[in-house]
Amino acid sequence: MRRILIVGAGQAGLQLALGLQSNGYDVTVMTNRTADEVRDGRVMSTQCMFDTALQHERDLGINFWEDETPRVEGLGVSVAGPDSSRVIDWVGVLDGYAQSVDQRLKMAGWLETFAQRGGQVVVHGVAVSDLDYLARTYDLVLVAAGKGELVSMFGRDASRSPYEAPQRALAVSYVHGLGPRPEHDFKAVRCNLVPGVGELFVIPSLTTSGPCDILFWEGIPGGPLDVFDQVKDPSEHLRLTLELMKTFTPWEYDRARNGVELTDAGATLAGRYAPVVRNPIGELPSGGLVLGVADVVVANDPITGQGSNNAARCAAVYLAAILAHGDKPFDRDFLQAAFDRYWADAQHVTKWTNAMLGPPPEHVLNLIGAAGQLPPVAHRFANGFNNPADFEHWFYDPELAGAYLASVTPQS
Ligand SMILES: Cc1cc2nc3c(=O)[nH]c(=O)nc-3n(C[C@H](O)[C@H](O)[C@H](O)COP(=O)(O)OP(=O)(O)OC[C@H]3O[C@@H](n4cnc5c(N)ncnc54)[C@H](O)[C@@H]3O)c2cc1C
């Protein structure tokens, strides 16, 4: 039986571990926190996942929370004017629903399932020196430890990493009590763009205390939203979040007027990181090779909500590659080919996400504006979150964008 070590118990590490385990591999997961510590800890993400990524979980039968999690059937975009009025507002319907399951719930549950099914779990914060030793006793070592210090083993790929510094300051609050959305009777993720300032995302989710909403500010560094780093008190974090909503997105604040409260003591998160693509193969001091997974190798800003989707894609691609490889050695060629297959998808996410971080060019402003009058444009933009490769055909290039708009504009 082939022995595989996975470092990290997040979306990618655990999806891959459960998939390999159900195919008869001898899998060990090393992680720095127990399931209870994860469940009782701080929120880590907003983790909205779209249909294709959710399907990878369904394929493995690990979609344990699907029935109780709110179904996100649309994706809306609003743009604030200089006077904080809502100058653009539309919603595109998703062909397949999206869902967000609090990673504290999902990762704790998956880790326990993996152990109950006979998987080995070692709770230990892994250092490079540990890997040097461990790599000799496994057929394959996968590093799925997110954006932590183990990324130092994987060199930055400057040709694929246009930004050297964080492009947004992130501030998340999970709340109960947000009023229903007045515009439509289905649930939607709302992207509220405040030009020159940042974005507010409102995301229906399932947390440890049931359904909730997530308020997620992405602030341009140094701007008026970049005020959360020093805030240690969760209630002050929520107060600031609401105050900024009142100032910049009053239509979203209206939903909070009847009083919202944090879902629990760990319901807030603030931070920032630079988007980066890394070389996928890490070389250990004694010559062993390890393969980077998901955020370790491709970490995008969450402005497009793609990291967990990418993690699910990466786990699915690596699982298929490992199964197809049979008993052959996991050599450098295998590791590189597995990553290349993943990058074939992930490159589209990186291109789109990095584009959304910059000021939008005129043709993108036209597209976002036109989506209010042209439902096919709203539909296509919304469903691009599930398939970012589609943006290649109509979004980046002014000519392609113009031709597309002309093709969906009714002739008078
Ligand atoms: C504020 C915010 C909002 C986001 N919103 C979305 C969204 O809406 N949709 C979306 O798709 N993505 C979103 N993301 C991104 C998404 O959360 C990540 O991309 C995704 O969780 C990456 O999965 P992963 O498995 O690669 O890593 P992680 O989820 O980071 O898991 C890494 C695991 O490794 C463990 N670990 C770390 N270091 C060590 C070590 N040295 N030894 C042992 N274990 C270790 C950690 O404890 C953890 O279990 C968001 C991210 C942030 C920060």
Side-chain angles (χ1 to χ4, degrees), residues 7-14 30-33 38 44-50 100 103 107 122 124-127 144-150 170-172 203 216 218 269 273 293-296 298-302 304-311:
V7 180
Q11 175 73 36
L14 285 171
M30 292 185 81
T31 182
N32 51 8
R33 289 194 295 165
V38 170
M44 296 171 271
S45 178
T46 65
Q47 71 268 312
C48 186
M49 292 175 61
F50 294 86
S100 161
Q103 287 187 342
M107 301 318 151
V122 179
H124 176 67
V126 177
K147 296 180 277 289
E149 64 273 23
L150 285 180
L170 316 174
V172 170
I203 304 163
F216 175 22
E218 284 235 342
L269 175 72
Y273 58 90
V293 189
D295 263 17
V296 168
V298 182
N300 294 307
D301 187 277
T304 52
Q306 293 293 310
S308 300
N309 292 269
N310 257 358

Short mmCIF file of all heavy atoms in Angstrom, two decimals, residues 7-14 30-33 38 44-50 100 103 107 122 124-127 144-150 170-172 203 216 218 269 273 293-296 298-302 304-311, ligand 1:
data_model
loop_
_atom_site.label_atom_id
_atom_site.label_comp_id
_atom_site.label_asym_id
_atom_site.label_seq_id
_atom_site.Cartn_x
_atom_site.Cartn_y
_atom_site.Cartn_z
N VAL A 7 0.64 17.36 4.91
CA VAL A 7 0.83 18.34 5.99
C VAL A 7 -0.20 19.45 5.80
O VAL A 7 -0.21 20.13 4.77
CB VAL A 7 2.26 18.94 5.96
CG1 VAL A 7 2.42 19.95 7.09
CG2 VAL A 7 3.28 17.83 6.06
N GLY A 8 -1.08 19.59 6.80
CA GLY A 8 -2.11 20.63 6.72
C GLY A 8 -3.49 20.02 6.57
O GLY A 8 -3.70 19.15 5.72
N ALA A 9 -4.42 20.47 7.41
CA ALA A 9 -5.78 19.92 7.44
C ALA A 9 -6.80 20.98 7.07
O ALA A 9 -7.74 21.27 7.82
CB ALA A 9 -6.07 19.32 8.81
N GLY A 10 -6.61 21.60 5.90
CA GLY A 10 -7.56 22.57 5.38
C GLY A 10 -8.36 21.96 4.24
O GLY A 10 -8.41 20.73 4.07
N GLN A 11 -8.99 22.82 3.43
CA GLN A 11 -9.81 22.35 2.32
C GLN A 11 -9.05 21.37 1.42
O GLN A 11 -9.54 20.30 1.09
CB GLN A 11 -10.29 23.55 1.49
CG GLN A 11 -11.06 23.20 0.24
CD GLN A 11 -12.47 22.71 0.52
OE1 GLN A 11 -13.12 23.19 1.44
NE2 GLN A 11 -12.94 21.74 -0.25
N ALA A 12 -7.83 21.75 1.05
CA ALA A 12 -7.09 20.92 0.10
C ALA A 12 -6.56 19.65 0.77
O ALA A 12 -6.73 18.54 0.25
CB ALA A 12 -5.93 21.73 -0.49
N GLY A 13 -5.90 19.81 1.92
CA GLY A 13 -5.27 18.67 2.58
C GLY A 13 -6.29 17.60 2.94
O GLY A 13 -6.08 16.40 2.68
N LEU A 14 -7.42 18.02 3.53
CA LEU A 14 -8.39 17.02 3.99
C LEU A 14 -9.20 16.43 2.84
O LEU A 14 -9.50 15.23 2.84
CB LEU A 14 -9.31 17.63 5.05
CG LEU A 14 -8.62 17.78 6.41
CD1 LEU A 14 -9.49 18.58 7.37
CD2 LEU A 14 -8.27 16.42 7.01
N MET A 30 -0.70 15.45 9.05
CA MET A 30 -0.08 16.18 10.16
C MET A 30 -0.64 17.60 10.15
O MET A 30 -0.66 18.26 9.10
CB MET A 30 1.44 16.23 10.01
CG MET A 30 2.08 14.88 10.18
SD MET A 30 3.88 14.96 10.13
CE MET A 30 4.24 15.49 11.81
N THR A 31 -1.09 18.05 11.29
CA THR A 31 -1.67 19.38 11.36
C THR A 31 -1.36 20.00 12.71
O THR A 31 -1.11 19.28 13.68
CB THR A 31 -3.18 19.34 11.10
OG1 THR A 31 -3.70 20.67 11.14
CG2 THR A 31 -3.91 18.48 12.11
N ASN A 32 -1.38 21.34 12.75
CA ASN A 32 -0.95 21.99 13.99
C ASN A 32 -2.09 22.22 14.99
O ASN A 32 -1.86 22.76 16.06
CB ASN A 32 -0.23 23.32 13.68
CG ASN A 32 -1.04 24.21 12.75
OD1 ASN A 32 -2.19 23.91 12.45
ND2 ASN A 32 -0.44 25.30 12.30
N ARG A 33 -3.34 21.81 14.65
CA ARG A 33 -4.44 21.99 15.61
C ARG A 33 -5.36 20.78 15.62
O ARG A 33 -5.61 20.16 14.57
CB ARG A 33 -5.25 23.24 15.25
CG ARG A 33 -4.49 24.52 15.52
CD ARG A 33 -5.41 25.73 15.49
NE ARG A 33 -5.97 25.95 14.16
CZ ARG A 33 -7.01 26.74 13.93
NH1 ARG A 33 -7.62 27.35 14.92
NH2 ARG A 33 -7.46 26.91 12.71
N VAL A 38 -9.82 23.71 16.26
CA VAL A 38 -10.31 24.38 15.05
C VAL A 38 -11.75 24.84 15.26
O VAL A 38 -12.11 25.99 15.02
CB VAL A 38 -10.22 23.44 13.83
CG1 VAL A 38 -10.93 24.02 12.62
CG2 VAL A 38 -8.75 23.14 13.51
N MET A 44 -11.69 31.64 9.74
CA MET A 44 -10.46 31.67 8.93
C MET A 44 -10.68 32.25 7.54
O MET A 44 -9.74 32.55 6.83
CB MET A 44 -9.92 30.25 8.79
CG MET A 44 -9.47 29.65 10.10
SD MET A 44 -9.07 27.90 9.95
CE MET A 44 -10.64 27.13 10.27
N SER A 45 -11.95 32.37 7.13
CA SER A 45 -12.22 32.63 5.72
C SER A 45 -13.68 33.05 5.59
O SER A 45 -14.41 33.09 6.59
CB SER A 45 -11.96 31.33 4.94
OG SER A 45 -12.23 31.48 3.56
N THR A 46 -14.12 33.33 4.36
CA THR A 46 -15.56 33.40 4.11
C THR A 46 -15.98 32.20 3.25
O THR A 46 -17.16 31.95 3.07
CB THR A 46 -15.97 34.73 3.45
OG1 THR A 46 -15.38 34.82 2.16
CG2 THR A 46 -15.51 35.93 4.26
N GLN A 47 -14.98 31.53 2.64
CA GLN A 47 -15.10 30.20 2.02
C GLN A 47 -16.34 29.95 1.18
O GLN A 47 -16.91 28.86 1.20
CB GLN A 47 -14.96 29.11 3.11
CG GLN A 47 -16.09 28.92 4.10
CD GLN A 47 -16.01 29.70 5.37
OE1 GLN A 47 -14.98 29.71 6.02
NE2 GLN A 47 -17.09 30.33 5.76
N CYS A 48 -16.76 30.92 0.40
CA CYS A 48 -17.89 30.67 -0.50
C CYS A 48 -17.41 29.81 -1.67
O CYS A 48 -16.45 30.14 -2.34
CB CYS A 48 -18.47 31.99 -1.01
SG CYS A 48 -19.96 31.71 -1.97
N MET A 49 -18.08 28.69 -1.88
CA MET A 49 -17.66 27.78 -2.95
C MET A 49 -18.78 27.61 -3.98
O MET A 49 -19.94 27.52 -3.64
CB MET A 49 -17.24 26.43 -2.36
CG MET A 49 -15.96 26.58 -1.53
SD MET A 49 -15.42 25.10 -0.67
CE MET A 49 -15.15 23.97 -2.01
N PHE A 50 -18.36 27.57 -5.22
CA PHE A 50 -19.31 27.52 -6.32
C PHE A 50 -19.49 26.07 -6.79
O PHE A 50 -18.81 25.16 -6.31
CB PHE A 50 -18.85 28.49 -7.42
CG PHE A 50 -18.92 29.91 -6.93
CD1 PHE A 50 -17.85 30.48 -6.23
CD2 PHE A 50 -20.07 30.66 -7.08
CE1 PHE A 50 -17.93 31.77 -5.72
CE2 PHE A 50 -20.15 31.95 -6.57
CZ PHE A 50 -19.08 32.51 -5.89
N SER A 100 -21.42 28.34 1.49
CA SER A 100 -20.28 28.63 2.36
C SER A 100 -20.51 27.91 3.69
O SER A 100 -21.45 28.23 4.42
CB SER A 100 -20.19 30.14 2.58
OG SER A 100 -19.42 30.44 3.73
N GLN A 103 -15.32 27.09 7.78
CA GLN A 103 -14.22 26.10 7.77
C GLN A 103 -14.00 25.48 9.15
O GLN A 103 -13.49 24.36 9.25
CB GLN A 103 -12.93 26.74 7.28
CG GLN A 103 -12.93 27.02 5.78
CD GLN A 103 -11.59 27.52 5.28
OE1 GLN A 103 -10.76 27.97 6.05
NE2 GLN A 103 -11.39 27.47 3.98
N MET A 107 -13.68 21.67 8.53
CA MET A 107 -12.36 21.04 8.72
C MET A 107 -12.33 20.17 9.98
O MET A 107 -11.73 19.10 9.97
CB MET A 107 -11.26 22.11 8.77
CG MET A 107 -11.18 22.95 7.51
SD MET A 107 -11.36 22.00 6.00
CE MET A 107 -12.08 23.21 4.92
N VAL A 122 -1.62 13.22 13.11
CA VAL A 122 -0.56 13.62 14.03
C VAL A 122 -0.68 15.12 14.25
O VAL A 122 -0.60 15.89 13.28
CB VAL A 122 0.84 13.28 13.46
CG1 VAL A 122 1.94 13.72 14.44
CG2 VAL A 122 0.94 11.80 13.14
N HIS A 124 0.86 18.28 15.21
CA HIS A 124 2.23 18.77 15.37
C HIS A 124 2.45 19.89 14.35
O HIS A 124 2.11 19.73 13.18
CB HIS A 124 3.20 17.61 15.09
CG HIS A 124 4.64 18.00 15.12
ND1 HIS A 124 5.28 18.41 16.27
CD2 HIS A 124 5.58 18.04 14.14
CE1 HIS A 124 6.55 18.70 15.99
NE2 HIS A 124 6.76 18.48 14.70
N GLY A 125 2.99 20.99 14.81
CA GLY A 125 3.36 22.06 13.88
C GLY A 125 4.64 21.65 13.16
O GLY A 125 5.70 21.58 13.77
N VAL A 126 4.53 21.36 11.88
CA VAL A 126 5.64 20.76 11.14
C VAL A 126 6.65 21.84 10.71
O VAL A 126 6.25 22.90 10.20
CB VAL A 126 5.10 20.01 9.90
CG1 VAL A 126 6.23 19.44 9.07
CG2 VAL A 126 4.14 18.92 10.33
N ALA A 127 7.92 21.54 10.89
CA ALA A 127 8.99 22.42 10.41
C ALA A 127 9.70 21.72 9.25
O ALA A 127 9.56 20.51 9.05
CB ALA A 127 9.98 22.69 11.54
N ALA A 144 0.23 20.98 2.29
CA ALA A 144 -1.04 21.70 2.09
C ALA A 144 -1.29 22.59 3.31
O ALA A 144 -2.38 22.63 3.86
CB ALA A 144 -2.18 20.70 1.92
N ALA A 145 -0.23 23.30 3.72
CA ALA A 145 -0.26 24.05 4.98
C ALA A 145 -0.62 25.52 4.79
O ALA A 145 -0.30 26.35 5.64
CB ALA A 145 1.08 23.90 5.69
N GLY A 146 -1.30 25.85 3.71
CA GLY A 146 -1.79 27.21 3.53
C GLY A 146 -0.66 28.23 3.42
O GLY A 146 0.40 27.94 2.87
N LYS A 147 -0.92 29.42 3.99
CA LYS A 147 0.04 30.52 3.79
C LYS A 147 1.05 30.62 4.92
O LYS A 147 1.73 31.63 5.06
CB LYS A 147 -0.75 31.83 3.64
CG LYS A 147 -1.65 31.82 2.40
CD LYS A 147 -2.46 33.08 2.22
CE LYS A 147 -3.72 33.14 3.01
NZ LYS A 147 -4.80 32.25 2.58
N GLY A 148 1.18 29.57 5.74
CA GLY A 148 2.09 29.61 6.90
C GLY A 148 3.57 29.53 6.51
O GLY A 148 3.93 29.60 5.33
N GLU A 149 4.40 29.30 7.51
CA GLU A 149 5.85 29.45 7.30
C GLU A 149 6.45 28.38 6.38
O GLU A 149 7.52 28.58 5.80
CB GLU A 149 6.60 29.50 8.65
CG GLU A 149 6.52 28.26 9.49
CD GLU A 149 5.28 28.25 10.40
OE1 GLU A 149 4.28 28.95 10.10
OE2 GLU A 149 5.30 27.52 11.39
N LEU A 150 5.75 27.25 6.18
CA LEU A 150 6.33 26.22 5.30
C LEU A 150 6.44 26.68 3.84
O LEU A 150 7.14 26.05 3.04
CB LEU A 150 5.51 24.93 5.38
CG LEU A 150 5.71 24.10 6.66
CD1 LEU A 150 4.84 22.85 6.62
CD2 LEU A 150 7.17 23.71 6.85
N LEU A 170 -8.09 43.06 4.99
CA LEU A 170 -9.28 42.20 5.09
C LEU A 170 -9.90 42.30 6.48
O LEU A 170 -9.17 42.30 7.48
CB LEU A 170 -8.89 40.75 4.81
CG LEU A 170 -7.95 40.51 3.61
CD1 LEU A 170 -7.52 39.05 3.54
CD2 LEU A 170 -8.62 40.94 2.32
N ALA A 171 -11.21 42.36 6.55
CA ALA A 171 -11.90 42.39 7.85
C ALA A 171 -13.23 41.65 7.73
O ALA A 171 -14.09 42.02 6.95
CB ALA A 171 -12.14 43.83 8.29
N VAL A 172 -13.35 40.58 8.51
CA VAL A 172 -14.50 39.67 8.42
C VAL A 172 -15.27 39.67 9.73
O VAL A 172 -14.67 39.64 10.81
CB VAL A 172 -13.97 38.23 8.13
CG1 VAL A 172 -15.08 37.21 8.26
CG2 VAL A 172 -13.30 38.16 6.77
N ILE A 203 -22.21 37.56 2.55
CA ILE A 203 -22.24 36.17 2.11
C ILE A 203 -23.07 35.33 3.08
O ILE A 203 -22.70 35.19 4.26
CB ILE A 203 -20.79 35.62 2.06
CG1 ILE A 203 -19.94 36.50 1.15
CG2 ILE A 203 -20.77 34.16 1.59
CD1 ILE A 203 -18.44 36.31 1.32
N PHE A 216 -17.88 41.23 4.98
CA PHE A 216 -16.44 41.10 4.65
C PHE A 216 -15.99 42.35 3.90
O PHE A 216 -16.33 42.55 2.73
CB PHE A 216 -16.26 39.84 3.80
CG PHE A 216 -14.87 39.60 3.27
CD1 PHE A 216 -13.75 40.18 3.86
CD2 PHE A 216 -14.68 38.77 2.17
CE1 PHE A 216 -12.48 39.96 3.36
CE2 PHE A 216 -13.42 38.53 1.66
CZ PHE A 216 -12.31 39.14 2.25
N GLU A 218 -13.06 44.50 2.17
CA GLU A 218 -11.73 44.45 1.55
C GLU A 218 -11.34 45.90 1.30
O GLU A 218 -11.92 46.56 0.43
CB GLU A 218 -11.80 43.71 0.21
CG GLU A 218 -11.91 42.22 0.32
CD GLU A 218 -10.79 41.51 -0.46
OE1 GLU A 218 -10.16 42.14 -1.34
OE2 GLU A 218 -10.52 40.35 -0.18
N LEU A 269 -12.16 38.42 12.08
CA LEU A 269 -10.82 38.15 11.53
C LEU A 269 -10.33 39.41 10.81
O LEU A 269 -11.11 40.04 10.10
CB LEU A 269 -10.92 37.00 10.53
CG LEU A 269 -9.66 36.63 9.75
CD1 LEU A 269 -8.67 35.93 10.67
CD2 LEU A 269 -10.01 35.70 8.58
N TYR A 273 -2.49 39.79 3.01
CA TYR A 273 -1.35 39.05 2.47
C TYR A 273 -1.18 39.41 1.00
O TYR A 273 -2.13 39.80 0.33
CB TYR A 273 -1.51 37.53 2.66
CG TYR A 273 -2.76 36.94 2.04
CD1 TYR A 273 -2.76 36.47 0.72
CD2 TYR A 273 -3.95 36.85 2.76
CE1 TYR A 273 -3.91 35.93 0.15
CE2 TYR A 273 -5.09 36.32 2.20
CZ TYR A 273 -5.07 35.86 0.89
OH TYR A 273 -6.20 35.33 0.33
N VAL A 293 0.60 22.27 -2.35
CA VAL A 293 -0.81 22.10 -2.69
C VAL A 293 -1.55 23.43 -2.44
O VAL A 293 -1.32 24.09 -1.43
CB VAL A 293 -1.46 21.01 -1.80
CG1 VAL A 293 -2.86 20.67 -2.30
CG2 VAL A 293 -0.60 19.75 -1.74
N ALA A 294 -2.44 23.79 -3.33
CA ALA A 294 -3.40 24.90 -3.15
C ALA A 294 -2.71 26.20 -2.72
O ALA A 294 -1.81 26.67 -3.39
CB ALA A 294 -4.52 24.47 -2.21
N ASP A 295 -3.13 26.79 -1.58
CA ASP A 295 -2.61 28.10 -1.18
C ASP A 295 -1.09 28.14 -1.04
O ASP A 295 -0.49 29.20 -1.16
CB ASP A 295 -3.22 28.54 0.16
CG ASP A 295 -4.42 29.46 -0.02
OD1 ASP A 295 -4.98 29.50 -1.13
OD2 ASP A 295 -4.81 30.13 0.96
N VAL A 296 -0.47 27.03 -0.77
CA VAL A 296 0.98 27.00 -0.66
C VAL A 296 1.62 27.47 -1.97
O VAL A 296 2.62 28.19 -1.97
CB VAL A 296 1.47 25.56 -0.33
CG1 VAL A 296 2.98 25.43 -0.50
CG2 VAL A 296 1.06 25.17 1.08
N VAL A 298 -0.42 28.65 -4.95
CA VAL A 298 -1.17 29.71 -5.63
C VAL A 298 -2.08 30.38 -4.60
O VAL A 298 -3.12 29.84 -4.23
CB VAL A 298 -2.04 29.15 -6.79
CG1 VAL A 298 -2.77 30.30 -7.50
CG2 VAL A 298 -1.20 28.36 -7.79
N ALA A 299 -1.66 31.54 -4.11
CA ALA A 299 -2.47 32.26 -3.11
C ALA A 299 -2.94 33.57 -3.73
O ALA A 299 -2.15 34.48 -3.97
CB ALA A 299 -1.64 32.53 -1.86
N ASN A 300 -4.24 33.63 -4.03
CA ASN A 300 -4.83 34.84 -4.59
C ASN A 300 -5.51 35.65 -3.49
O ASN A 300 -5.92 35.10 -2.47
CB ASN A 300 -5.87 34.47 -5.65
CG ASN A 300 -5.25 33.82 -6.86
OD1 ASN A 300 -4.31 34.37 -7.45
ND2 ASN A 300 -5.73 32.66 -7.23
N ASP A 301 -5.68 36.94 -3.72
CA ASP A 301 -6.46 37.75 -2.79
C ASP A 301 -7.91 37.23 -2.80
O ASP A 301 -8.41 36.83 -3.85
CB ASP A 301 -6.42 39.22 -3.22
CG ASP A 301 -7.07 40.11 -2.20
OD1 ASP A 301 -8.33 40.25 -2.22
OD2 ASP A 301 -6.34 40.67 -1.37
N PRO A 302 -8.59 37.26 -1.65
CA PRO A 302 -9.98 36.74 -1.65
C PRO A 302 -11.01 37.63 -2.32
O PRO A 302 -12.21 37.36 -2.23
CB PRO A 302 -10.28 36.54 -0.16
CG PRO A 302 -9.30 37.33 0.58
CD PRO A 302 -8.09 37.50 -0.29
N THR A 304 -12.12 37.77 -5.18
CA THR A 304 -13.02 37.03 -6.07
C THR A 304 -13.53 35.73 -5.42
O THR A 304 -14.19 34.93 -6.09
CB THR A 304 -12.29 36.66 -7.38
OG1 THR A 304 -11.06 36.01 -7.02
CG2 THR A 304 -12.01 37.88 -8.22
N GLY A 305 -13.21 35.52 -4.15
CA GLY A 305 -13.72 34.34 -3.45
C GLY A 305 -13.36 33.03 -4.13
O GLY A 305 -14.21 32.18 -4.37
N GLN A 306 -12.08 32.85 -4.43
CA GLN A 306 -11.70 31.67 -5.21
C GLN A 306 -10.76 30.69 -4.51
O GLN A 306 -10.53 29.60 -5.00
CB GLN A 306 -11.05 32.13 -6.53
CG GLN A 306 -12.01 32.85 -7.46
CD GLN A 306 -13.10 31.93 -8.00
OE1 GLN A 306 -12.81 30.85 -8.50
NE2 GLN A 306 -14.34 32.34 -7.89
N GLY A 307 -10.18 31.06 -3.36
CA GLY A 307 -9.13 30.22 -2.77
C GLY A 307 -9.60 28.83 -2.38
O GLY A 307 -8.91 27.84 -2.64
N SER A 308 -10.77 28.72 -1.77
CA SER A 308 -11.29 27.39 -1.40
C SER A 308 -11.70 26.63 -2.65
O SER A 308 -11.56 25.41 -2.72
CB SER A 308 -12.49 27.52 -0.47
OG SER A 308 -12.14 28.18 0.70
N ASN A 309 -12.23 27.38 -3.63
CA ASN A 309 -12.58 26.74 -4.90
C ASN A 309 -11.32 26.17 -5.56
O ASN A 309 -11.31 25.04 -6.04
CB ASN A 309 -13.25 27.77 -5.83
CG ASN A 309 -14.61 28.21 -5.34
OD1 ASN A 309 -15.62 27.62 -5.69
ND2 ASN A 309 -14.65 29.23 -4.49
N ASN A 310 -10.27 26.96 -5.55
CA ASN A 310 -8.99 26.50 -6.09
C ASN A 310 -8.45 25.31 -5.29
O ASN A 310 -7.89 24.37 -5.86
CB ASN A 310 -7.96 27.63 -6.01
CG ASN A 310 -7.72 28.28 -7.37
OD1 ASN A 310 -8.29 27.87 -8.37
ND2 ASN A 310 -6.87 29.29 -7.38
N ALA A 311 -8.59 25.38 -3.97
CA ALA A 311 -8.09 24.28 -3.12
C ALA A 311 -8.82 22.99 -3.48
O ALA A 311 -8.21 21.91 -3.57
CB ALA A 311 -8.28 24.64 -1.65
C1 LIG B 1 -10.71 36.73 4.71
C2 LIG B 1 -10.70 35.62 3.71
C3 LIG B 1 -11.84 35.35 2.96
C4 LIG B 1 -11.84 34.31 2.02
N1 LIG B 1 -12.97 34.05 1.31
C5 LIG B 1 -12.99 33.06 0.42
C6 LIG B 1 -14.20 32.74 -0.30
O1 LIG B 1 -15.26 33.34 -0.09
N2 LIG B 1 -14.16 31.73 -1.20
C7 LIG B 1 -13.02 31.02 -1.42
O2 LIG B 1 -13.04 30.10 -2.26
N3 LIG B 1 -11.88 31.28 -0.75
C8 LIG B 1 -11.84 32.27 0.16
N4 LIG B 1 -10.71 32.52 0.87
C9 LIG B 1 -9.50 31.73 0.61
C10 LIG B 1 -9.57 30.35 1.25
O3 LIG B 1 -9.96 30.42 2.60
C11 LIG B 1 -8.21 29.66 1.15
O4 LIG B 1 -7.68 29.86 -0.13
C12 LIG B 1 -8.34 28.16 1.42
O5 LIG B 1 -8.74 27.94 2.75
C13 LIG B 1 -7.01 27.48 1.14
O6 LIG B 1 -7.09 26.13 1.50
P1 LIG B 1 -5.77 25.32 1.83
O7 LIG B 1 -6.20 23.94 2.14
O8 LIG B 1 -4.77 25.54 0.77
O9 LIG B 1 -5.15 26.03 3.12
P2 LIG B 1 -5.75 26.35 4.55
O10 LIG B 1 -7.24 26.37 4.52
O11 LIG B 1 -5.05 27.58 5.01
O12 LIG B 1 -5.30 25.11 5.43
C14 LIG B 1 -3.97 24.96 5.86
C15 LIG B 1 -3.90 23.96 7.00
O13 LIG B 1 -2.54 23.74 7.36
C16 LIG B 1 -2.39 23.83 8.75
N5 LIG B 1 -0.99 24.24 8.99
C17 LIG B 1 -0.43 25.43 8.71
N6 LIG B 1 0.89 25.41 9.01
C18 LIG B 1 1.16 24.17 9.48
C19 LIG B 1 2.34 23.53 9.93
N7 LIG B 1 3.53 24.16 9.96
N8 LIG B 1 2.26 22.26 10.34
C20 LIG B 1 1.07 21.59 10.32
N9 LIG B 1 -0.06 22.16 9.88
C21 LIG B 1 -0.02 23.42 9.46
C22 LIG B 1 -3.44 24.82 9.17
O14 LIG B 1 -3.78 24.72 10.53
C23 LIG B 1 -4.60 24.39 8.26
O15 LIG B 1 -5.24 23.26 8.81
C24 LIG B 1 -10.66 33.54 1.83
C25 LIG B 1 -9.52 33.80 2.59
C26 LIG B 1 -9.54 34.82 3.52
C27 LIG B 1 -8.31 35.07 4.35
#
